[in-house]
């Protein structure tokens, strides 16, 4: 690659906060870090927030790259090396503070303005090379384009898909009757279960624990293995699927049936439930947890946790223990317990008894690091607001004999730093779909009040 073909990527602060190791994502191209970005990272690194950890990781990564460099090398650029491998590009720090050679398009008062001014100078001085400003700030991208910067991009390296509509749903429906045009099929039994090894091109991009139905819903199966030109299917059957129950809850549609089947499967360690509000994600997860802990005694306890972003004004500090502080955030779970026992003679006493019997613990995500959770059923609710790094932290805490359920609605993201495409929920759906110990179900078909449905459509 010639020097003219090399691009100059100028990284905004929010890129390094979103992905601290983004420095290594630009292969053979040049990376430029404005001095303003270092100052912003320095101001953020000491805050008592998760974003401060990302700032410190980014600073340490920069220090590792520049630790043996001279002043001239830092400004001219040093080779980018990651895990002992030279990536081919160089990284430099650009002194953008009140430089006399900068043609200002904006005042120097704002950090964003200084970064844009630096990008405009480099665009002029690095001709014919392409200079690209990379920022996750939409308004900054608009300002930079308005000021004359030709190339402005979002950071997309961490996006596994371009559109959330392309996200795997955990099942697929084949056209017509399933058994039509099936020429080769070998059927056998394993215990009480019936399996089919089928050679067909009807099933597109199969992966483990993916459910398969036909348009008439006469056939329902689950992929247990796949190979070139064919798949192995567990024959579940529609009636059997719809007859499954957990803690007295039976599915209202085929999607809930798939979810209950995955939740009760002892061979599935990770279940991911996605879908709109009102589709039954929390209800099914809590019912399955009670069934597996109390009735089947497969797990010792239930741990419930979720991220805690504010939807409106912060109400301030909450008194009490960790579990008491988490109770307002996890009201969806206690509401579900009340629904499950609303017909009992004394529902409040039943809920308290069940919480004690199932050893239900409400925990904060903030204190999950370093734990080793053994033989537990973990419910991670509202995880569309978690980053991939945060989800990795929680999932890696799960030890032997632990099942984790991640649920969330990608249309209800409260985090300022996430979109449906970059949410940790989207990330794990795509990353774990080929893992034989995981299952993913998109719960299509909403069971809501007419008031809620009208508000969703018209407000």
């Amino acid at each position: 690659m010639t020097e003219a073909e090399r691009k100059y990527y100028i990284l905004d602060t929010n890129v390094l906060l979103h992905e601290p190791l983004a420095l290594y994502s630009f292969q053979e191209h040049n990376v430029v870090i404005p001095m303003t970005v270092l100052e912003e990272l320095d101001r953020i690194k000491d805050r008592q927030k998760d974003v401060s950890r990302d700032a410190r990781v980014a600073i340490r990564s920069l220090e590792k790259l520049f630790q043996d460099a001279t002043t001239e090398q830092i400004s001219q650029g040093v080779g980018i090396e990651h895990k002992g491998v030279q990536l081919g590009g160089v990284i430099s720090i650009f002194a953008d503070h009140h430089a006399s050679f900068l043609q200002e398009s904006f005042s120097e008062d704002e950090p964003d303005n200084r970064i844009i001014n630096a990008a405009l100078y480099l665009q002029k001085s690095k001709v014919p090379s392409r200079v690209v400003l990379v920022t996750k700030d939409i308004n900054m991208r608009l300002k930079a384009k308005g000021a004359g910067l030709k190339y402005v991009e979002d950071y997309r390296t961490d996006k596994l898909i371009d559109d959330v509509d392309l996200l795997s749903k955990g099942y697929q429906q084949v056209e017509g009757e399933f058994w039509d045009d099936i020429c080769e099929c070998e059927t056998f039994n394993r215990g009480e279960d019936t399996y089919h090894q089928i050679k067909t091109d009807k099933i597109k991009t199969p992966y483990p624990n993916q459910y398969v139905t036909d348009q008439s819903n006469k056939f329902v199966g689950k992929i247990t293995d796949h190979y070139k030109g064919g798949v192995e299917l567990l024959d579940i059957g529609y009636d059997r699927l719809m007859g499954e129950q957990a803690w007295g809850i039976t599915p209202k549609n085929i999607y809930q049936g798939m979810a209950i089947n995955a939740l009760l499967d002892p061979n599935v360690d990770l279940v991911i439930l996605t879908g709109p509000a009102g589709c039954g994600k929390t209800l099914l997860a809590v019912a399955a947890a009670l069934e597996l802990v109390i009735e089947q005694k497969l797990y010792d306890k239930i741990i419930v946790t979720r991220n805690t972003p504010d939807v409106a004004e912060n109400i301030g500090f909450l008194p009490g223990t960790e579990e008491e502080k988490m109770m307002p955030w996890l009201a969806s779970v206690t509401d579900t317990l009340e629904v499950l026992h609303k017909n009992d003679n004394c529902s409040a006493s039943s809920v308290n008894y069940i919480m004690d019997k199932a050893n239900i613990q409400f925990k904060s995500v903030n204190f999950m690091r370093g734990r080793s959770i053994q033989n537990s059923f973990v419910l991670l609710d509202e995880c569309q607001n978690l980053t991939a790094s945060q989800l990795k932290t929680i999932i890696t805490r799960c030890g032997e004999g632990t099942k984790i359920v991640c649920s969330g609605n990608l249309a209800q993201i409260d985090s300022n730093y996430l979109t449906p495409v970059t949410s940790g929920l989207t990330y794990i759906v795509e990353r774990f779909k080929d893992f034989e110990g995981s299952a993913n179900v998109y719960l299509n078909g909403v069971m809501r009040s007419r008031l809620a449905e009208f508000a969703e459509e018209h407000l």
Side-chain angles (χ1 to χ4, degrees):
M1 176 178 286
T2 65
E3 187 61 32
E5 293 174 324
R6 290 181 185 269
K7 299 176 184 178
Y8 286 82
Y9 286 100
I10 304 170
L11 304 191
D12 190 15
T13 312
N14 51 46
V15 173
L16 295 177
L17 295 178
H18 175 77
E19 175 52 71
L21 301 182
L23 306 167
Y24 307 110
S25 299
F26 297 92
Q27 300 174 352
E28 69 274 16
H29 299 289
N30 300 328
V31 177
V32 180
I33 307 296
M35 192 71 73
T36 298
V37 170
L38 294 180
E39 292 182 347
E40 289 194 298
L41 290 175
D42 187 59
R43 283 195 293 268
I44 293 170
K45 68 179 173 51
D46 293 326
R47 297 178 187 173
Q48 297 298 318
K49 292 183 177 293
D50 190 65
V51 70
S52 302
R53 178 186 60 83
D54 294 328
R56 292 191 294 270
V57 172
I59 291 170
R60 284 194 291 268
S61 299
L62 288 167
E63 197 275 336
K64 184 177 180 181
L65 288 169
F66 290 114
Q67 61 183 352
D68 297 323
T70 63
T71 303
E72 291 77 13
Q73 288 174 328
I74 290 175
S75 60
Q76 294 299 318
V78 299
I80 301 177
E81 179 181 308
H82 187 46
K83 296 181 179 179
V85 178
Q86 287 288 343
L87 301 183
V90 299
I91 184 170
S92 61
I93 294 176
F94 182 76
D96 59 345
H97 264 284
H98 304 290
S100 58
F101 50 78
L102 286 179
Q103 180 180 355
E104 295 186 11
S105 293
F106 297 101
S107 68
E108 293 284 321
D109 297 336
E110 295 293 331
D112 287 358
N113 294 347
R114 291 198 295 270
I115 294 171
I116 292 173
N117 288 337
L120 290 169
Y121 168 76
L122 290 173
Q123 178 178 261
K124 182 178 180 181
S125 62
K126 298 297 182 181
V127 174
S129 297
R130 178 180 294 188
V131 175
V132 183
L133 174 62
V134 184
T135 176
K136 297 197 70 64
D137 186 337
I138 297 174
N139 191 55
M140 187 174 178
R141 292 201 293 268
L142 293 173
K143 287 171 63 177
K145 289 178 180 178
L149 198 60
K150 295 180 181 178
Y151 304 104
V152 186
E153 296 179 0
D154 187 10
Y155 180 73
R156 299 189 298 269
T157 305
D158 61 336
K159 294 182 180 179
L160 299 181
I161 56 174
D162 294 324
D163 191 334
V164 73
D165 290 336
L166 302 176
L167 189 66
S168 170
K169 296 184 182 302
Y171 51 83
Q172 59 176 292
Q173 186 180 75
V174 299
E175 294 183 1
E177 297 283 340
F178 179 79
W179 292 111
D180 291 349
D181 305 322
I182 299 291
C183 299
E184 295 186 41
C185 175
E186 181 182 343
T187 301
F188 57 93
N189 292 328
R190 291 178 187 153
E192 298 179 353
D193 295 323
T194 301
Y195 293 81
H196 308 290
Q197 284 187 344
I198 301 170
K199 288 191 175 181
T200 179
D201 57 359
K202 280 187 171 185
I203 301 175
K204 311 297 183 183
T205 60
Y207 53 84
N209 296 317
Q210 183 184 34
Y211 294 89
V212 178
T213 67
D214 58 14
Q215 290 180 322
S216 64
N217 283 336
K218 291 181 179 179
F219 177 85
V220 179
K222 182 164 66 173
I223 296 173
T224 54
D225 195 8
H226 60 92
Y227 43 90
K228 187 174 182 180
V231 297
E232 180 184 281
L233 287 166
L234 168 62
D235 192 336
I236 301 174
Y238 180 79
D239 292 334
R240 179 182 169 189
L241 184 74
M242 297 304 291
E244 296 214 41
Q245 68 171 9
W247 204 248
I249 296 296
T250 55
K252 292 186 175 181
N253 55 42
I254 192 171
Y255 311 106
Q256 290 191 355
M258 295 173 188
I260 292 178
N261 180 269
L263 288 165
L264 298 181
D265 190 341
N267 296 315
V268 175
D269 302 321
L270 170 65
V271 179
I272 306 168
L273 301 179
T274 57
C279 62
K281 300 183 295 294
T282 304
L283 176 67
L284 298 179
V286 173
L290 296 176
E291 180 73 23
L292 294 172
V293 173
I294 297 178
E295 290 295 326
Q296 300 186 23
K297 302 187 186 316
L298 293 181
Y299 306 100
D300 296 333
K301 58 187 174 183
I302 300 171
I303 295 177
V304 186
T305 185
R306 58 161 286 184
N307 196 18
T308 55
D310 295 315
V311 176
E313 292 287 336
N314 193 312
I315 63 172
F317 293 102
L318 299 173
T321 63
E322 177 189 356
E323 293 201 1
E324 290 171 338
K325 292 176 187 290
M326 289 299 298
M327 287 298 286
W329 299 106
L330 296 166
S332 60
V333 176
T334 54
D335 290 346
T336 299
L337 289 171
E338 291 173 3
V339 169
L340 291 173
H341 296 276
K342 66 181 180 180
N343 295 323
D344 293 359
N345 290 330
C346 183
S347 59
S349 297
S350 294
V351 169
N352 292 332
Y353 173 78
I354 290 300
M355 289 183 66
D356 183 60
K357 180 80 172 174
N359 193 10
I360 300 179
Q361 302 175 10
F362 297 105
K363 299 296 181 182
S364 171
V365 170
N366 298 336
F367 306 118
M368 295 296 284
R369 187 182 296 277
R371 295 191 63 182
S372 180
I373 303 171
Q374 307 291 332
N375 206 41
S376 303
F377 188 106
V378 179
L379 172 56
L380 179 56
D381 202 18
E382 300 289 335
C383 63
Q384 74 273 6
N385 290 309
L386 294 173
T387 65
S389 176
Q390 289 170 326
L391 271 173
K392 178 182 177 181
T393 298
I394 298 169
I395 292 173
T396 54
R397 299 304 95 211
C398 296
E400 195 71 28
T402 289
K403 186 186 193 88
I404 182 168
V405 177
C406 298
S407 66
N409 177 10
L410 290 168
Q412 293 184 340
I413 293 178
D414 301 314
S415 171
N416 296 328
Y417 303 103
L418 295 175
T419 65
V421 174
T422 60
S423 168
L425 182 60
T426 300
Y427 192 83
I428 63 169
V429 167
E430 287 300 305
R431 283 297 192 205
F432 279 92
K433 70 180 182 182
D434 292 317
F435 174 52
E436 62 183 10
S438 72
N440 160 49
V441 179
Y442 176 81
L443 288 158
N444 198 4
V446 182
M447 306 294 176
R448 317 185 68 179
S449 70
R450 62 179 184 176
L451 174 62
E453 288 183 0
F454 185 89
E456 191 75 31
E457 292 177 4
H458 297 87
L459 293 184

